[in-house]
Amino acid sequence: MISTDKGKSSQAAEQALNDFEYKWESKYSYAIQSWRNNLDELNVFFEFPPEIRKIIYTSNLIENLNGKIRKYAKNKMSFPIDDAMIKSVYLTLKEAIKKWTTFPQNME
């Protein structure tokens, strides 16, 4: 499904990149060059409806959760059997869920 505001959002994103470049080019030239080189791939983001974009954009929760799992697994170094790793991941997820206090807005 392609959103009808793709062009408008793509143009707004490109203008924001231009503004960012004007202000920060001397400090972040490598990142800006990478964004410019991959602009077509980055603009695919605007093909999704705004509700989905918000979920994609707020993937920090997922990254944070993956980081917790990696941290715990790294501290253990090795597991005697596969089930031990599965149980460790389960317990890590269970602890992480206890700390969740908010949920995405407008989600049913």
Side-chain angles (χ1 to χ4, degrees):
M1 170 188 279
I2 295 180
S3 177
T4 57
D5 66 338
K6 179 184 182 227
K8 194 183 232 184
S9 298
S10 296
Q11 290 170 351
E14 192 161 354
Q15 183 58 49
L17 179 55
N18 290 337
D19 295 345
F20 182 85
E21 182 176 18
Y22 178 76
K23 184 174 182 179
W24 296 102
E25 203 246 333
S26 63
K27 189 170 185 177
Y28 299 108
S29 62
Y30 183 77
I32 293 167
Q33 179 184 6
S34 176
W35 290 336
R36 292 249 180 245
N37 291 341
N38 296 295
L39 204 52
D40 289 338
E41 287 82 10
L42 294 171
N43 279 336
V44 169
F45 177 75
F46 296 109
E47 293 180 9
F48 294 99
E51 300 82 14
I52 302 298
R53 283 190 244 162
K54 185 175 181 180
I55 292 170
I56 293 170
Y57 180 74
T58 57
S59 65
N60 287 340
L61 174 64
I62 296 167
E63 292 172 15
N64 182 283
L65 188 57
N66 287 337
K68 289 180 188 298
I69 294 168
R70 279 194 304 274
K71 181 180 177 184
Y72 186 81
K74 183 178 179 183
N75 288 338
K76 294 295 180 187
M77 297 302 271
S78 66
F79 293 90
I81 57 174
D82 290 344
D83 282 346
M85 178 64 176
I86 293 169
K87 288 176 184 177
S88 294
V89 169
Y90 171 78
L91 292 173
T92 302
L93 293 173
K94 201 169 178 184
E95 285 301 309
I97 289 170
K98 286 181 186 177
K99 296 177 184 176
W100 293 352
T101 58
T102 60
F103 295 93
Q105 300 285 327
N106 302 323
M107 298 300 292
E108 296 180 38

